[in-house]
Amino acid sequence: MPQSTPHVTFVCQKNGGKSQMAAALMRHLAGDDVVVTSAGTAPGASLNAQSVEALEEIGVGVGDEHPKALTAEMIEASDLVVVLGAEAQVEATPGTRIETWITDEPSERGITGMERMRLVRDDIRSRVEDLHSRL
């Protein structure tokens, strides 16, 4: 990473849940020490209400965030692009690293609702904390 403020972009397919959670958690943890953006490869119309609620439970807000499309400019501006899940496909550009996080999916074990969302949140939170320590 360069000596300047690192820029991380979190990406998932719809940019309504996992990437927004990761971005909010990093903003909360790092403050102004990391530039954080999030986007989707096929953005939806709104944020996942349970994702927002799960973050609020631990005192993390999403602010005025909304789903937005990933652009080539976003990738180029980033030092690191973190792709959450296998559904979103992002092509690397010179100078930008890409990490893929395959997050735990509790619904595959029959866990749904807020219990599922808390497990997803906690998995992402652990990964964000690790990433922050590496930055």
Side-chain angles (χ1 to χ4, degrees):
M1 290 283 156
Q3 295 298 328
S4 63
T5 305
H7 185 155
V8 178
T9 298
F10 293 97
V11 178
C12 67
Q13 189 173 34
K14 294 183 181 179
N15 190 227
K18 292 176 182 176
S19 59
Q20 291 283 357
M21 290 179 96
L25 288 161
M26 182 62 84
R27 284 187 199 102
H28 182 78
L29 181 62
D32 293 335
D33 292 340
V34 178
V35 175
V36 179
T37 54
S38 71
T41 56
S46 63
L47 298 183
N48 178 299
Q50 286 186 334
S51 294
V52 173
E53 183 180 343
L55 288 170
E56 288 173 347
E57 287 181 349
I58 61 169
V60 176
V62 295
D64 61 355
E65 286 295 319
H66 60 279
K68 55 197 138 318
L70 180 66
T71 65
E73 292 78 20
M74 287 177 171
I75 296 171
E76 291 170 8
S78 302
D79 298 302
L80 174 65
V81 174
V82 177
V83 181
L84 287 94
E87 299 85 16
Q89 300 296 311
V90 178
E91 291 190 33
T93 60
T96 302
R97 292 181 332 167
I98 294 181
E99 269 184 33
T100 301
W101 296 352
I102 304 300
T103 59
D104 177 50
E105 185 43 68
S107 63
E108 294 175 357
R109 299 186 309 277
I111 302 170
T112 60
M114 280 306 295
E115 183 181 2
R116 170 193 173 266
M117 197 54 65
R118 288 179 187 112
L119 291 169
V120 169
R121 175 202 63 205
D122 293 346
D123 182 54
I124 293 171
R125 183 182 196 181
S126 174
R127 293 168 187 264
V128 166
E129 289 169 349
D130 175 67
L131 174 59
H132 181 251
S133 71
R134 291 186 281 129
L135 295 174

mmCIF file of all heavy atoms in Angstrom, residues 68-86:
data_model
loop_
_atom_site.group_PDB
_atom_site.id
_atom_site.type_symbol
_atom_site.label_atom_id
_atom_site.label_comp_id
_atom_site.label_asym_id
_atom_site.label_seq_id
_atom_site.Cartn_x
_atom_site.Cartn_y
_atom_site.Cartn_z
ATOM 1 N N LYS A 68 -24.949 1.523 -5.753
ATOM 2 C CA LYS A 68 -24.415 2.216 -6.924
ATOM 3 C C LYS A 68 -23.593 1.247 -7.761
ATOM 4 O O LYS A 68 -23.088 0.253 -7.247
ATOM 5 C CB LYS A 68 -23.605 3.438 -6.525
ATOM 6 C CG LYS A 68 -22.479 3.185 -5.561
ATOM 7 C CD LYS A 68 -22.039 4.490 -4.927
ATOM 8 C CE LYS A 68 -21.749 4.421 -3.464
ATOM 9 N NZ LYS A 68 -22.550 3.713 -2.567
ATOM 10 N N ALA A 69 -23.477 1.551 -9.017
ATOM 11 C CA ALA A 69 -22.768 0.685 -9.958
ATOM 12 C C ALA A 69 -21.259 0.882 -9.866
ATOM 13 O O ALA A 69 -20.773 2.014 -9.731
ATOM 14 C CB ALA A 69 -23.238 0.967 -11.376
ATOM 15 N N LEU A 70 -20.547 -0.213 -9.934
ATOM 16 C CA LEU A 70 -19.091 -0.178 -9.984
ATOM 17 C C LEU A 70 -18.656 0.388 -11.334
ATOM 18 O O LEU A 70 -19.166 -0.011 -12.375
ATOM 19 C CB LEU A 70 -18.526 -1.589 -9.811
ATOM 20 C CG LEU A 70 -17.009 -1.715 -9.833
ATOM 21 C CD1 LEU A 70 -16.383 -1.012 -8.640
ATOM 22 C CD2 LEU A 70 -16.609 -3.184 -9.861
ATOM 23 N N THR A 71 -17.702 1.311 -11.289
ATOM 24 C CA THR A 71 -17.182 1.900 -12.524
ATOM 25 C C THR A 71 -15.679 1.622 -12.632
ATOM 26 O O THR A 71 -15.011 1.341 -11.628
ATOM 27 C CB THR A 71 -17.404 3.424 -12.556
ATOM 28 O OG1 THR A 71 -16.617 4.023 -11.507
ATOM 29 C CG2 THR A 71 -18.876 3.772 -12.391
ATOM 30 N N ALA A 72 -15.170 1.743 -13.834
ATOM 31 C CA ALA A 72 -13.731 1.585 -14.044
ATOM 32 C C ALA A 72 -12.961 2.631 -13.251
ATOM 33 O O ALA A 72 -11.888 2.347 -12.714
ATOM 34 C CB ALA A 72 -13.409 1.698 -15.532
ATOM 35 N N GLU A 73 -13.538 3.825 -13.114
ATOM 36 C CA GLU A 73 -12.882 4.899 -12.363
ATOM 37 C C GLU A 73 -12.764 4.534 -10.878
ATOM 38 O O GLU A 73 -11.751 4.837 -10.244
ATOM 39 C CB GLU A 73 -13.651 6.221 -12.524
ATOM 40 C CG GLU A 73 -13.595 6.815 -13.923
ATOM 41 C CD GLU A 73 -14.546 6.128 -14.915
ATOM 42 O OE1 GLU A 73 -15.510 5.455 -14.482
ATOM 43 O OE2 GLU A 73 -14.317 6.268 -16.124
ATOM 44 N N MET A 74 -13.786 3.878 -10.344
ATOM 45 C CA MET A 74 -13.724 3.448 -8.942
ATOM 46 C C MET A 74 -12.597 2.444 -8.736
ATOM 47 O O MET A 74 -11.864 2.520 -7.752
ATOM 48 C CB MET A 74 -15.048 2.803 -8.509
ATOM 49 C CG MET A 74 -16.172 3.746 -8.308
ATOM 50 S SD MET A 74 -17.650 2.760 -7.897
ATOM 51 C CE MET A 74 -18.774 4.057 -7.444
ATOM 52 N N ILE A 75 -12.481 1.509 -9.654
ATOM 53 C CA ILE A 75 -11.427 0.496 -9.553
ATOM 54 C C ILE A 75 -10.066 1.155 -9.633
ATOM 55 O O ILE A 75 -9.174 0.882 -8.819
ATOM 56 C CB ILE A 75 -11.589 -0.584 -10.638
ATOM 57 C CG1 ILE A 75 -12.899 -1.359 -10.427
ATOM 58 C CG2 ILE A 75 -10.391 -1.537 -10.635
ATOM 59 C CD1 ILE A 75 -13.257 -2.290 -11.564
ATOM 60 N N GLU A 76 -9.882 2.036 -10.602
ATOM 61 C CA GLU A 76 -8.588 2.703 -10.796
ATOM 62 C C GLU A 76 -8.205 3.572 -9.609
ATOM 63 O O GLU A 76 -7.021 3.707 -9.292
ATOM 64 C CB GLU A 76 -8.612 3.531 -12.081
ATOM 65 C CG GLU A 76 -8.655 2.669 -13.326
ATOM 66 C CD GLU A 76 -8.926 3.454 -14.600
ATOM 67 O OE1 GLU A 76 -8.924 4.711 -14.546
ATOM 68 O OE2 GLU A 76 -9.160 2.815 -15.635
ATOM 69 N N ALA A 77 -9.184 4.171 -8.925
ATOM 70 C CA ALA A 77 -8.910 5.033 -7.771
ATOM 71 C C ALA A 77 -8.562 4.234 -6.523
ATOM 72 O O ALA A 77 -8.050 4.793 -5.555
ATOM 73 C CB ALA A 77 -10.119 5.926 -7.495
ATOM 74 N N SER A 78 -8.812 2.942 -6.540
ATOM 75 C CA SER A 78 -8.628 2.106 -5.358
ATOM 76 C C SER A 78 -7.251 1.463 -5.313
ATOM 77 O O SER A 78 -6.713 1.060 -6.328
ATOM 78 C CB SER A 78 -9.688 0.992 -5.345
ATOM 79 O OG SER A 78 -10.980 1.539 -5.353
ATOM 80 N N ASP A 79 -6.725 1.369 -4.096
ATOM 81 C CA ASP A 79 -5.512 0.589 -3.882
ATOM 82 C C ASP A 79 -5.859 -0.889 -3.782
ATOM 83 O O ASP A 79 -5.064 -1.746 -4.137
ATOM 84 C CB ASP A 79 -4.817 1.024 -2.589
ATOM 85 C CG ASP A 79 -4.387 2.470 -2.643
ATOM 86 O OD1 ASP A 79 -3.616 2.820 -3.558
ATOM 87 O OD2 ASP A 79 -4.831 3.251 -1.783
ATOM 88 N N LEU A 80 -7.068 -1.160 -3.256
ATOM 89 C CA LEU A 80 -7.525 -2.525 -3.064
ATOM 90 C C LEU A 80 -9.020 -2.590 -3.324
ATOM 91 O O LEU A 80 -9.776 -1.759 -2.828
ATOM 92 C CB LEU A 80 -7.240 -2.995 -1.629
ATOM 93 C CG LEU A 80 -7.786 -4.359 -1.227
ATOM 94 C CD1 LEU A 80 -7.127 -5.475 -2.035
ATOM 95 C CD2 LEU A 80 -7.603 -4.586 0.270
ATOM 96 N N VAL A 81 -9.436 -3.571 -4.103
ATOM 97 C CA VAL A 81 -10.855 -3.864 -4.310
ATOM 98 C C VAL A 81 -11.124 -5.197 -3.636
ATOM 99 O O VAL A 81 -10.449 -6.192 -3.922
ATOM 100 C CB VAL A 81 -11.213 -3.935 -5.813
ATOM 101 C CG1 VAL A 81 -12.659 -4.376 -6.008
ATOM 102 C CG2 VAL A 81 -10.958 -2.591 -6.489
ATOM 103 N N VAL A 82 -12.091 -5.191 -2.724
ATOM 104 C CA VAL A 82 -12.474 -6.415 -2.029
ATOM 105 C C VAL A 82 -13.827 -6.848 -2.575
ATOM 106 O O VAL A 82 -14.809 -6.118 -2.473
ATOM 107 C CB VAL A 82 -12.563 -6.209 -0.504
ATOM 108 C CG1 VAL A 82 -13.043 -7.482 0.175
ATOM 109 C CG2 VAL A 82 -11.212 -5.765 0.051
ATOM 110 N N VAL A 83 -13.859 -8.020 -3.184
ATOM 111 C CA VAL A 83 -15.084 -8.572 -3.750
ATOM 112 C C VAL A 83 -15.667 -9.542 -2.735
ATOM 113 O O VAL A 83 -15.000 -10.488 -2.327
ATOM 114 C CB VAL A 83 -14.810 -9.281 -5.091
ATOM 115 C CG1 VAL A 83 -16.100 -9.827 -5.680
ATOM 116 C CG2 VAL A 83 -14.108 -8.337 -6.065
ATOM 117 N N LEU A 84 -16.908 -9.291 -2.338
ATOM 118 C CA LEU A 84 -17.578 -10.150 -1.369
ATOM 119 C C LEU A 84 -18.505 -11.093 -2.108
ATOM 120 O O LEU A 84 -19.486 -10.662 -2.716
ATOM 121 C CB LEU A 84 -18.360 -9.316 -0.349
ATOM 122 C CG LEU A 84 -17.452 -8.596 0.648
ATOM 123 C CD1 LEU A 84 -17.135 -7.199 0.184
ATOM 124 C CD2 LEU A 84 -18.085 -8.589 2.011
ATOM 125 N N GLY A 85 -18.166 -12.374 -2.096
ATOM 126 C CA GLY A 85 -18.972 -13.393 -2.750
ATOM 127 C C GLY A 85 -18.470 -13.726 -4.137
ATOM 128 O O GLY A 85 -17.698 -12.987 -4.738
ATOM 129 N N ALA A 86 -18.926 -14.856 -4.633
ATOM 130 C CA ALA A 86 -18.491 -15.344 -5.942
ATOM 131 C C ALA A 86 -19.336 -14.799 -7.085
ATOM 132 O O ALA A 86 -18.956 -14.921 -8.249
ATOM 133 C CB ALA A 86 -18.535 -16.874 -5.959
#
